Amino acid sequence: MAAGTSNYWEDLRKQARQLENELDLKLVSFSKLCTSYSHSSARDGRRDRYSSDTTPLLNGSSQDRMFETMAIEIEQLLARLTGVNDKMAEYTNSAGVPSLNAALMHTLQRHRDILQDYTHEFHKTKANFMAIRERENLMGSVRKDIESYKSGSGVNNRRTELFLKEHDHLRNSDRLIEETISIAMATKENMTSQRGMLKSIQSKMNTLANRFPAVNSLIQRVNLRKRRDSLILGAVIGVCTILLLLYAFH
């Protein structure tokens, strides 16, 4: 019976690890898609300034379809991973689990943290993609109105050129701000990850120290003996120094 339950737990862990690996690969591709969409939209915007009105302002329809498809796939993987985590939680709460329940809970918590991180990363990337697409649609509409005004009036006056230059400057400033924010967020995530690793190492050290109290006691005794020896050596050196001084002055 115990072997059967152990195999069931191992099967759940294998499923969780497999889904986590798939999600990791999908999220990397999803993030690259968002980045490439932003860059291609910026290039299309610069190219459309010098193209005719028959040229489409945005050429991201295929990327939009890829985005929708990948978003659905990631949501399905997240739902499957959530289901596996729920089964693991039910297993740890069942009456037939042996005394290793604390270790099982620790493993379950780690898988839950990974699921939470992946879910947060997915929603953040999706929100960034939607914001970029909405902004590009708005900018494309403004650009189309400008081109329509220029073609209707037939005048490429100085004010229109200045407006286009200012618009381009604003887009560049927005892009630089987004890159700076992305770098800051990546730095924050790295620091958070490092802090978690340090906490994990500290927890393991405390666990080892609690498991081996005899080692702690031995270390404390060695430190006390070293301190006593240092005090004795210092006292001997001091007495010798005083005797030498007395001898020298007499």
Side-chain angles (χ1 to χ4, degrees):
M1 184 66 182
T5 57
S6 177
N7 291 333
Y8 178 68
W9 174 258
E10 290 299 326
D11 290 340
L12 291 177
R13 288 191 61 188
K14 289 180 181 179
Q15 294 178 25
R17 286 195 295 265
Q18 182 179 359
L19 291 172
E20 288 167 0
N21 292 333
E22 293 180 9
L23 275 169
D24 186 62
L25 295 176
K26 288 288 185 182
L27 288 173
V28 171
S29 301
F30 196 60
S31 178
K32 289 181 180 179
L33 176 63
C34 181
T35 304
S36 63
Y37 183 90
S38 176
H39 291 169
S40 63
S41 297
R43 290 194 299 270
D44 291 342
R46 290 192 295 269
R47 185 169 57 251
D48 290 336
R49 285 180 53 187
Y50 305 100
S51 61
S52 62
D53 292 338
T54 58
T55 303
L57 290 174
L58 291 177
N59 297 320
S61 58
S62 61
Q63 290 178 317
D64 290 341
R65 289 193 295 271
M66 290 178 60
F67 168 79
E68 297 295 340
T69 302
M70 293 185 67
I72 293 174
E73 292 176 353
I74 293 174
E75 288 175 351
Q76 291 175 350
L77 288 173
L78 289 173
R80 291 172 58 189
L81 184 57
T82 301
V84 173
N85 284 348
D86 291 341
K87 291 180 180 179
M88 295 173 72
E90 292 177 359
Y91 176 81
T92 56
N93 294 328
S94 62
V97 177
S99 59
L100 295 176
N101 192 37
L104 300 181
M105 290 298 296
H106 176 74
T107 302
L108 174 61
Q109 185 61 40
R110 182 168 61 84
H111 286 292
R112 282 178 171 174
D113 292 340
I114 293 174
L115 173 61
Q116 184 178 3
D117 292 340
Y118 283 159
T119 303
H120 174 71
E121 182 178 354
F122 168 67
H123 288 304
K124 182 179 71 173
T125 304
K126 184 177 180 181
N128 291 338
F129 187 94
M130 298 298 294
I132 292 172
R133 188 166 62 180
E134 290 177 1
R135 188 182 69 247
E136 291 302 326
N137 290 336
L138 178 60
M139 293 299 180
S141 177
V142 172
R143 196 181 302 113
K144 183 181 292 185
D145 293 340
I146 294 172
E147 294 295 333
S148 177
Y149 171 77
K150 288 173 60 179
S151 61
S153 62
V155 179
N156 188 10
N157 53 25
R158 180 65 176 171
R159 293 182 60 187
T160 303
E161 293 179 358
L162 292 175
F163 180 78
L164 291 175
K165 288 182 179 179
E166 186 66 22
H167 177 260
D168 197 19
H169 291 162
L170 290 174
R171 285 174 56 84
N172 291 333
S173 299
D174 189 21
R175 178 176 57 81
L176 291 175
I177 292 173
E178 288 184 354
E179 291 178 354
T180 303
I181 293 174
S182 298
I183 293 172
M185 292 297 295
T187 303
K188 179 183 177 183
E189 291 177 358
N190 289 331
M191 293 180 66
T192 303
S193 176
Q194 292 178 4
R195 183 178 63 182
M197 292 176 61
L198 291 175
K199 286 184 177 180
S200 177
I201 293 172
Q202 184 180 4
S203 177
K204 291 180 180 178
M205 293 297 294
N206 291 333
T207 302
L208 290 175
N210 293 330
R211 286 183 178 179
F212 303 102
V215 175
N216 288 333
S217 177
L218 180 60
I219 292 174
Q220 291 178 0
R221 290 179 182 178
V222 171
N223 290 332
L224 289 175
R225 181 166 295 180
K226 287 173 63 177
R227 188 179 304 171
R228 186 188 63 187
D229 293 343
S230 298
L231 292 175
I232 293 172
L233 181 60
V236 171
I237 293 173
V239 172
C240 292
T241 303
I242 293 172
L243 292 176
L244 288 174
L245 291 175
L246 293 175
Y247 178 78
F249 286 108
H250 288 80

